[in-house]
Amino acid sequence: MTKRRWWMGALLGAGVGMGLVGGWDVAYSQAQQATGQAAGQRGAAVRTLKSGEIEVQASRVYVFVGKTGLGHDHGIEGRLRSGQLNLGAKEKAGRLEFDLRTFVADTAAARQYVGLGGQTDRKTADKVTSNMQSAAVLDVARFPIATLDVASIVALPRQGNQPQQYQLTGDFTLQIGRAHV
């Protein structure tokens, strides 16, 4: 089995943003967290979220996958199926469910978010996406959902004007395997 270097990040609705660099980091907009409202389209109804609920329609997940062999680095974009995070919880702090069927390789947004320069032509990106979703890698036909059961959320030191970030610790389940992150 080939090991890959990777990290995952997300821009989560209701003012939540997440990136992974040696741990799960999450940033909440305190005002939106307090009101529990998700931003809607102009003229569209605004749905009130339950406390800690993530607006999945406004959320994106970005994954960096490091090259192996003669390949090259990839940025992957996908969506959450559902999610809830409870800031300040010392245990059972939430759960994120990733919809692996929506994961697409090398979109412009994903490459930018994970810090990759340049572009990948659509034919190559489609081939990488097809391989990633195949039975040889993620097998999304059989295992369409990955989960992160969040055990704890810890505030990280503030970085200038950046939103508050948090480190999430928990169990990440992908296919039939499970890892503590």
Side-chain angles (χ1 to χ4, degrees):
M1 175 174 253
T2 304
K3 290 187 177 181
R4 288 189 173 263
R5 181 172 61 99
W6 65 279
W7 63 269
M8 184 177 294
L11 297 177
L12 305 176
V16 181
M18 179 172 79
L20 175 74
V21 182
W24 294 86
D25 302 338
V26 176
Y28 270 83
S29 162
Q30 299 301 331
Q32 287 180 321
Q33 175 66 13
T35 63
Q37 290 195 345
Q41 299 285 334
R42 181 171 283 185
V46 175
R47 182 170 83 83
T48 300
L49 298 173
K50 297 175 187 169
S51 178
E53 182 181 4
I54 295 168
E55 176 54 66
V56 295
Q57 293 303 315
S59 302
R60 297 294 177 273
V61 177
Y62 298 103
V63 181
F64 170 81
V65 179
K67 72 177 183 173
T68 58
L70 299 175
H72 60 275
D73 295 338
H74 299 284
I76 309 297
E77 180 175 350
R79 299 187 126 196
L80 289 173
R81 177 177 167 205
S82 66
Q84 180 172 355
L85 297 173
N86 303 308
L87 290 179
K90 301 286 187 213
E91 56 185 36
K92 296 184 182 180
R95 180 179 176 95
L96 300 176
E97 291 186 354
F98 304 91
D99 185 350
L100 300 178
R101 297 167 297 196
T102 67
F103 280 42
V104 178
D106 293 317
T107 66
R111 290 185 65 80
Q112 179 180 358
Y113 187 88
V114 302
L116 295 175
Q119 296 178 310
T120 300
D121 66 88
R122 188 65 345 215
K123 183 178 176 182
T124 300
D126 289 346
K127 187 175 179 179
V128 171
T129 297
S130 179
N131 183 55
M132 171 184 64
Q133 293 182 343
S134 75
V137 182
L138 294 177
D139 197 1
V140 299
R142 288 183 45 208
F143 305 103
I145 305 299
T147 60
L148 174 64
D149 289 309
V150 182
S152 66
I153 301 175
V154 177
L156 296 174
R158 249 190 144 88
Q159 303 289 324
N161 290 346
Q162 297 297 314
Q164 178 66 57
Q165 294 193 350
Y166 299 85
Q167 182 175 23
L168 280 62
T169 303
D171 291 317
F172 183 74
T173 304
L174 179 65
Q175 289 188 3
I176 58 174
R178 183 175 208 140
H180 185 74
V181 293

